[in-house]
Amino acid sequence: MLAATILVLSGCGGSTSGPSGGQSASGAWPPSRGRGKCAVGKQENVPATMRDGVVLKADVYRPETTDPVPVILMRTQYGKSGAQVKPYRYQTPDWFASHCYLVVVQDIRGQGASGGTFTEFANDRDDGYDSVEWAARLPGSNGKVGMYGSSYVGATQWLSAVTAPPHLVTIVPSNTASDYYDGWTYQGGEFRLAFVEPWATGTIAETAAINRGDTATAKQLAADAAQYTRWMGYRPYQQFPPMHPGDPAVAPWFFDWIRHSARDNYWKQWSIRDRYPNVRVPVLDFEGWYDAFLAGGTENFSGMVHDGGTPRARSNQRLVIGPWDHVGWGRPGSGVSAPLLAAAGPAGDSPVNDLMLAWFDHFLKGQDNRVAGQPTVNYFLMGANKWKTATAWPLPNTHWTTYYLSGSGANGLSGRLGALSAEPPKDPQPPDTYDYDPLNPVPSAGGHSCCGASSGPQGPYDQYVVEQRSDVLTYTTAPMSADTELTGPTEVKLWASSTAPDTDFTAKLVAVAPDGSTINLNNGIIRTPFRDSLDDPTPAAPGQTYQYTIRIWPTSYLVKAGSRIRVEISSSDYPQFAPNPNTGQPFGASADTQIATQTILHDAAHPSSVVLPIIPAGGAASSRFPMDATR
């Protein structure tokens, strides 16, 4: 496949040996090599009593040693017996315990073997604090606790850390967000449909039903989740049948998410981005370029560097971003990665296990292994298959470069007259227009959804079919005269009007090879009432022109000489995001829709533009992950 050469630099591919955290030669996961010196015993369903009397259960993996050892704690809603080992993520708890750690994997409230009623986000601050302090007092513990885990299991770490438990020393969250409204449930004010509905239905609602003994509802939720394409088309969301809107025992939290469609106090009570000064510990954060929560992960890093609660916390932040989606982390054979991510080969394997172990060795055991000491960003440059290192996010040497939308007739491949120019528009240019029909939305072709490739659009794919549509505008640079690295977030400043009081505008950053093949690098969206504030949306006046800021999530990609950079503008990206019905009615309250005519202006008075994060040539790069990047 020719497009694959865009991602895999000739000569790199599978010929390089991967980082020490890579899979074994046989492809089995997890690999058995690398165990520590301690034999390990296991205790199941060890109780921990929370401050309100609810009992949570954990499996404890105990190293056979007479010396007090640190604790590694995972608090999960996905089953303590699984411990997020599959698909192709963490080593087993007993593997970490063999390195002479007391490893504790706990089911959170209302999930697995634990008691209490499950409500997403609501209990994980107090329960997190209590669980850290309980784990620190376990027999054999030396009182130092670190935490790890991915996705919501990353959220349980941050929600614990903002309460500052005295015995929490460090956290290692992967693939998790900075805010549970913006960048989790919603993005730019629009509902993240392909992530939220399948995940909530077939994962957390189903397992919560099992926990409370409601077998019939659990079976129904599993069956509905298997038909996710049918249910993602259901309207209105406030009456979503799989979640039993009339039964508060099933998923009242889901309908809270629909009712609270702005970033109000319901969401602010759990926001991490508002509480960095409360977090007093070092953080090792893993993210992926096509992960569902990438933007929040980069914000957590920069937020902690600037506003973390202690000098030690601020100086010991490390961010690792690889060529990964949400699960499987790009490893060939995981069965969930986009082919172009898997094509990165061993160079792109996640180093999470060995680096996390070294991180814990440093902060929990005091080893001088040079994994920390200054803010560090390790990132994988796609298109070159190289790891690079920086000291800040966004990268300190970023050249923020503005290109202006120009030309006319940018609709679909038949026109291809839209251009990106370094020169601001001078002469009057007619606008581009298209009709957006919510009943015929633009299909998602890859993206940064969750949680598996079967339900949520994830990863890089050719955009040819999408770009043929008349409701997709394309604006493209001239061929690059030299190799050009794009690393960081991209921002589109779009001057536009709509005949609707409430609609969406989308933007997608695309790399175009000399042969015309394309891949999406990342994307963004803005719901028009949220143009000025996620907290206080205000309708747009039909026909009035506004400037909209569309934040395209970060990427890192080497655009080769002769290739081009493209921005796609449209008004839908389905099922990654819920199609805006254009009616202005309260979110999720109605199934009504109407067609909107959208006008994109790019003249001297309305200079629509894109700001690209261009990185100057040079700087050290390695085909293997730099374990000692702070040297």
Side-chain angles (χ1 to χ4, degrees):
M1 180 178 178
L2 189 56
T5 61
I6 300 173
L7 185 65
V8 181
L9 184 66
S10 176
C12 291
S15 63
T16 58
S17 57
S20 56
Q23 68 190 79
S24 63
S26 67
W29 184 262
S32 58
R33 56 155 186 76
R35 293 183 66 85
K37 65 180 183 181
C38 284
V40 179
K42 179 182 178 182
Q43 298 170 278
E44 295 184 346
N45 294 317
V46 178
T49 303
M50 302 294 101
R51 65 187 65 183
D52 62 354
V54 169
V55 176
L56 308 185
K57 298 292 183 65
D59 291 344
V60 177
Y61 298 80
R62 185 176 297 281
E64 295 182 6
T65 176
T66 58
D67 298 326
V69 296
V71 178
I72 302 175
L73 172 64
M74 172 187 283
R75 302 192 66 252
T76 178
Q77 63 180 350
Y78 301 119
K80 57 185 172 60
S81 62
Q84 295 199 306
V85 172
K86 296 180 179 180
Y88 286 67
R89 288 191 282 182
Y90 295 110
Q91 274 284 4
T92 58
D94 70 283
W95 186 91
F96 289 107
S98 76
H99 291 273
C100 304
Y101 286 94
L102 188 64
V103 181
V104 179
V105 185
Q106 182 189 67
D107 288 327
I108 69 168
R109 182 180 296 236
Q111 293 283 1
S114 290
T117 300
F118 169 75
T119 301
E120 194 82 343
F121 310 118
N123 299 299
D124 287 307
R125 289 169 301 181
D126 290 348
D127 286 357
Y129 181 103
D130 293 351
S131 297
V132 167
E133 295 305 294
W134 163 80
R137 297 189 300 269
L138 285 170
S141 165
N142 71 358
K144 295 182 178 181
V145 179
M147 299 181 76
Y148 79 106
S150 170
S151 193
Y152 193 79
V153 189
T156 64
Q157 297 174 65
W158 282 108
L159 290 166
S160 300
V162 298
T163 69
H167 291 90
L168 182 64
V169 176
T170 187
I171 61 174
V172 186
S174 299
N175 311 94
T176 200
S178 60
D179 190 88
Y180 303 117
Y181 171 81
D182 180 33
W184 186 288
T185 311
Y186 293 81
Q187 182 180 330
E190 191 52 84
F191 186 55
R192 299 186 70 187
L193 179 67
F195 156 46
V196 176
E197 280 193 353
W199 167 69
T201 304
T203 306
I204 54 178
E206 178 188 347
T207 52
I210 293 170
N211 174 274
R212 65 178 181 271
D214 189 351
T215 304
T217 297
K219 288 182 178 179
Q220 168 258 307
L221 287 164
D224 287 339
Q227 302 181 66
Y228 61 88
T229 54
R230 168 195 174 194
W231 287 114
M232 279 194 286
Y234 182 87
R235 308 291 184 275
Y237 303 119
Q238 289 183 7
Q239 300 173 22
F240 190 56
M243 295 299 212
H244 297 252
D247 185 352
V250 177
W253 36 268
F254 174 84
F255 297 103
D256 287 342
W257 300 348
I258 302 300
R259 284 190 294 271
H260 294 274
S261 60
R263 190 177 180 267
D264 57 17
N265 288 333
Y266 173 83
W267 297 106
K268 291 177 183 178
Q269 65 180 315
W270 301 310
S271 176
I272 305 304
R273 66 162 60 131
D274 297 339
R275 294 173 172 82
Y276 295 128
N278 295 356
V279 181
R280 305 173 63 83
V281 298
V283 181
L284 169 61
D285 194 332
F286 284 84
E287 304 294 336
W289 290 126
Y290 292 92
D291 182 65
F293 310 121
L294 166 65
T298 59
E299 183 180 24
N300 283 336
F301 172 81
S302 58
M304 283 297 299
V305 168
H306 290 97
D307 299 319
T310 65
R312 183 170 182 265
R314 292 191 293 273
S315 63
N316 286 286
Q317 299 293 315
R318 187 165 180 177
L319 173 65
V320 178
I321 317 175
W324 312 316
D325 51 23
H326 191 67
V327 295
W329 294 346
R331 289 189 174 95
S334 67
V336 295
S337 296
L340 292 182
L341 291 183
D349 278 0
S350 172
V352 62
N353 292 292
D354 287 351
L355 182 55
M356 182 168 69
L357 181 62
W359 187 267
F360 286 143
D361 285 347
H362 178 75
F363 286 104
L364 300 181
K365 292 184 176 179
Q367 293 184 13
D368 183 14
N369 54 17
R370 310 175 96 174
V371 297
Q374 66 177 4
T376 301
V377 179
N378 305 120
Y379 68 95
F380 188 89
L381 177 60
M382 298 182 294
N385 273 24
K386 298 288 186 180
W387 286 97
K388 299 184 73 176
T389 300
T391 58
W393 184 266
L395 305 191
N397 58 336
T398 304
H399 286 187
W400 300 103
T401 306
T402 300
Y403 282 83
Y404 296 90
L405 279 60
S406 64
S408 61
N411 308 66
L413 284 174
S414 59
R416 191 53 62 80
L417 299 176
L420 291 178
S421 172
E423 297 297 324
K426 297 177 180 178
D427 299 328
Q429 296 189 38
D432 287 308
T433 64
Y434 60 92
D435 288 339
Y436 159 50
D437 183 354
L439 299 180
N440 182 27
V442 175
S444 302
H448 57 246
S449 188
C450 176
C451 292
S454 62
S455 62
Q458 299 183 82
Y461 290 90
D462 197 289
Q463 302 299 300
Y464 177 81
V465 173
V466 169
E467 291 179 350
Q468 293 187 76
R469 292 176 59 111
S470 62
D471 55 354
V472 176
L473 308 179
T474 59
Y475 302 90
T476 311
T477 66
M480 296 290 105
S481 59
D483 289 358
T484 302
E485 177 182 340
L486 301 177
T487 297
T490 296
E491 190 170 85
V492 172
K493 296 287 189 180
L494 189 72
W495 289 93
S497 67
S498 175
T499 57
D502 186 338
T503 192
D504 291 343
F505 290 107
T506 65
K508 187 185 300 177
L509 184 64
V510 176
V512 186
D515 66 352
S517 60
T518 61
I519 62 168
N520 53 302
L521 301 181
N522 225 316
N523 57 278
I525 191 169
I526 187 69
R527 186 175 165 194
T528 56
F530 294 82
R531 62 193 176 276
D532 297 321
S533 171
L534 296 177
D535 303 5
D536 186 23
T538 55
Q544 182 169 328
T545 297
Y546 299 90
Q547 186 184 59
Y548 297 98
T549 299
I550 307 175
R551 292 178 174 85
I552 297 178
W553 282 19
T555 190
S556 182
Y557 192 84
L558 186 67
V559 181
K560 299 293 186 64
S563 296
R564 294 173 291 163
I565 300 168
R566 176 174 295 158
V567 171
E568 295 176 8
I569 302 296
S570 191
S571 287
S572 52
D573 186 350
Y574 173 83
Q576 187 163 195
F577 303 103
N580 194 312
N582 297 329
T583 63
Q585 298 183 50
F587 177 71
S590 171
D592 296 341
T593 65
Q594 65 184 38
I595 295 174
T597 297
Q598 320 289 50
T599 300
I600 308 302
L601 297 94
H602 41 71
D603 53 38
H606 308 94
S608 294
S609 63
V610 56
V611 181
L612 298 174
I614 294 179
I615 309 302
S622 171
S623 60
R624 299 188 65 180
F625 181 81
M627 288 292 290
D628 297 328
T630 57
R631 290 183 178 177

